[in-house]
Amino acid sequence: MTHDPYDADRPLLMHCACGQHASAADHAAAELRTRSETADFEAESASFVEASLIKALFPQDALRRRFLKAVGRNTAMAAIGSVLPVASLQAMAQGTQGALEKKDLKIGFIPITCATPLIMAHPLGFYAKQGLNVEVVKTAGWALIRDKMINKEYDATHFLSPMPLAISLGLGAPATPMNVATIQNTNGQAITLSVKHKDKRDPATWKGFKFAVPFEYSMHNFLLRYYVAEAGLDPDRDIQIRVVPPPEMVANLRAGNIDGFLGPDPFNQRAVYEEVGFIHLLTKELWNGHPCCAFGTSSEFIQKNPNTFIALYRAVLTAAAMAREAKNRELIAKVIAPQAYLNQPETVIAQVLTGKFADGLGNVKVVPDRADFDPMPWQSMAVWILSQMKRWGYLKGDVNYKQIAEKVFLLTDARKQMKALGQALPEDKAGGYPKFKVMGKEFDPAKADAYVNSFAIKRA
């Protein structure tokens, strides 16, 4: 029912304030479309796409400057185009491509704010602008997303970032090569506890707690394990971790089936809205800038439909560029809140996207990057995920971290590409894999096994 008079979260207004659109969501979408069609935004979007890809290749500005001065802009553009297995970066940045191999596409998504770029590209017409007729399909859970991708029922999908790695390796499903095209969002998760546990803020006191995560191969599972292990608890023995679809997390918290969850938004904020939970911490406090969800497809789809893939890639990156702008967040909340997408109260979505939110403990916090939309699939992110799979026994034996990361996460590092071009670089400056810190501990992707072995609590 589009206008349910008995739904407290839905307005009865049949049109927007200006009277020209069917709803406030349609009004917001129209305003965002207008913004996206300005010359300034188109130039900014093209620049964003290009700069994002260059950033992945050259994490260090000094290296990028040396390379550009050595070979010049045109040669650099032609060379860097070889990074993508489908077409040149120049074609992507300029919005040109060959004929689309396939125009009618199905893209799966889970109704969470992590999927914001993928979702908003639909009502804002970004797919259509690329000549694509895309159906974004709301899906019940991650196992179903996985199965529909393996069975080719979806052409592309909203993934949890670890999923393409797991599927490619045959973990939990038949091995099927998958690729991460972009990271859909960074941060955007939280640990939420039941209101009955307001006096148990120290994770060392959580022995016996039952937690939900959305999927086994998820950042949620790996970050929860990391957090409680740092507090001295064994996540396999001292707490219970259950897989619960995100839309069911709040209901399970209310019913007392779980003590808390490390889940995606908007369900952390929805638990506060329903007064059944409070936000213990945002996962950006564990690792600021960590990946959450990704946009991806099968390697087979890319090989068979290179131009279609470029068009998809461009549409999603354009949406990501718009989502990164703080000034657009409130309008985006209106666009993705309706039933066809997230089916959540607009105020809940707005609190997540703007970063001004109630935490359930009587505080209003302001964290602008609570959720962000940096699309870069750094290989070091993939290596960290693989290290945690190894740490907790999902992966056995020797792991070729770099080979797997570069095969699944589409953008390769600067050293590999420059080597292919005949550009010699000192080995000690050629990594291209940025380091980062998780709970204050530095992760060096070149020393993944040592990192795994450094933890007192592990299965490996």
Side-chain angles (χ1 to χ4, degrees):
M1 184 181 296
T2 304
H3 305 285
D4 183 353
Y6 300 104
D7 187 338
D9 295 329
R10 293 186 180 279
L12 285 177
L13 186 66
M14 303 295 282
H15 54 77
C16 70
C18 77
Q20 297 180 24
H21 307 95
S23 67
D26 289 344
H27 178 94
E31 185 169 340
L32 286 170
R33 276 195 295 272
T34 299
R35 292 183 187 181
S36 75
E37 291 166 357
T38 64
D40 286 346
F41 178 77
E42 288 186 357
E44 181 181 343
S45 178
S47 175
F48 176 83
V49 171
E50 187 173 348
S52 294
L53 295 171
I54 296 294
K55 179 182 174 183
L57 291 172
F58 298 97
Q60 298 177 346
D61 271 347
L63 184 62
R64 177 182 60 84
R65 284 194 293 268
R66 287 200 301 273
F67 177 62
L68 290 174
K69 286 180 179 178
V71 303
R73 178 185 176 87
N74 292 337
T75 302
M77 287 293 292
I80 292 167
S82 66
V83 171
L84 293 177
V86 291
S88 73
L89 174 60
Q90 189 171 24
M92 286 186 58
Q94 294 178 347
T96 60
Q97 64 198 38
L100 299 177
E101 300 85 2
K102 187 175 183 180
K103 294 183 178 181
D104 296 331
L105 304 173
K106 282 188 176 182
I107 300 178
F109 76 94
I110 302 292
I112 55 180
T113 50
C114 305
T116 292
L118 184 157
I119 294 171
M120 63 183 275
H122 185 254
L124 297 188
F126 293 161
Y127 295 121
K129 191 174 182 180
Q130 299 299 326
L132 301 170
N133 178 29
V134 168
E135 179 185 359
V136 289
V137 186
K138 189 186 297 187
T139 311
W142 293 108
L144 193 56
I145 288 276
R146 175 198 63 202
D147 295 345
K148 285 184 176 291
M149 282 300 295
I150 291 174
N151 295 332
K152 302 179 184 178
E153 295 176 54
Y154 288 166
D155 297 287
T157 195
H158 172 203
F159 275 129
L160 293 162
S161 292
M163 285 177 65
L165 293 162
I167 298 170
S168 297
L169 291 168
L171 301 177
T176 308
M178 295 286 169
N179 288 115
V180 168
T182 74
I183 298 299
Q184 278 286 278
N185 73 299
T186 55
N187 301 331
Q189 309 172 18
I191 296 177
T192 295
L193 294 180
S194 168
V195 290
K196 67 184 179 183
H197 294 312
K198 286 185 177 180
D199 61 336
K200 293 185 178 178
R201 303 304 307 281
D202 182 353
T205 65
W206 293 354
K207 192 168 186 177
F209 273 28
K210 299 172 183 175
F211 283 95
V213 296
F215 198 63
E216 202 164 18
Y217 299 103
S218 67
M219 290 299 296
H220 312 79
N221 183 28
F222 298 139
L223 288 175
L224 177 62
R225 287 172 170 272
Y226 195 109
Y227 183 59
V228 298
E230 288 297 292
L233 299 182
D234 188 317
D236 293 313
R237 295 164 185 165
D238 295 326
I239 64 171
Q240 292 183 36
I241 301 177
R242 302 175 176 179
V243 171
V244 176
E248 298 175 17
M249 287 181 169
V250 175
N252 275 273
L253 194 67
R254 181 187 296 109
N257 297 330
I258 55 176
D259 296 284
F261 58 84
L262 199 161
D265 275 312
F267 297 104
N268 302 290
Q269 203 59 49
R270 186 64 190 254
V272 174
Y273 181 83
E274 299 283 353
E275 299 182 348
V276 298
F278 68 93
I279 295 174
H280 170 69
L281 60 74
L282 302 176
T283 50
K284 76 176 292 287
E285 298 173 51
L286 306 181
W287 170 6
N288 191 15
H290 72 78
C292 179
C293 291
F295 171 68
T297 186
S298 66
S299 302
E300 180 182 349
F301 180 88
I302 296 173
Q303 291 162 4
K304 289 184 176 179
N305 307 281
N307 295 323
T308 297
F309 175 72
I310 292 173
L312 270 176
Y313 201 6
R314 190 182 304 119
V316 174
L317 283 174
T318 301
M322 178 160 274
R324 291 211 81 185
E325 294 289 332
K327 65 184 180 183
N328 295 326
R329 297 285 183 90
E330 289 190 9
L331 287 176
I332 291 170
K334 293 179 184 293
V335 170
I336 67 176
Q339 186 176 13
Y341 303 118
L342 299 193
N343 194 26
Q344 293 287 331
E346 182 190 317
T347 182
V348 171
I349 307 300
Q351 287 185 74
V352 173
L353 293 184
T354 64
K356 185 177 181 180
F357 62 95
D359 66 359
L361 294 169
N363 308 305
V364 174
K365 296 193 172 183
V366 180
V367 185
D369 59 348
R370 171 179 176 170
D372 205 356
F373 302 96
D374 185 343
M376 298 321 308
W378 300 95
Q379 276 87 18
S380 50
M381 291 175 172
V383 175
W384 186 87
I385 291 167
L386 292 167
S387 79
Q388 298 309 292
M389 290 182 181
K390 178 75 176 287
R391 177 183 181 182
W392 300 115
Y394 295 101
L395 274 176
K396 310 289 186 183
D398 294 334
V399 178
N400 191 329
Y401 298 98
K402 191 173 182 182
Q403 182 185 67
I404 298 168
E406 292 179 3
K407 184 176 288 186
V408 178
F409 278 45
L410 276 185
L411 299 179
T412 57
D413 62 21
R415 182 177 64 83
K416 182 176 180 181
Q417 297 313 309
M418 293 181 75
K419 189 174 182 180
L421 294 169
Q423 303 291 327
L425 284 175
E427 287 294 322
D428 62 342
K429 295 183 180 179
Y433 283 60
K435 300 177 183 178
F436 44 77
K437 290 184 178 181
V438 182
M439 293 188 69
K441 183 173 183 176
E442 185 175 77
F443 174 66
D444 182 347
K447 301 176 181 178
D449 275 329
Y451 182 75
V452 171
N453 293 330
S454 70
F455 294 105
I457 301 175
K458 57 182 180 292
R459 298 284 86 79

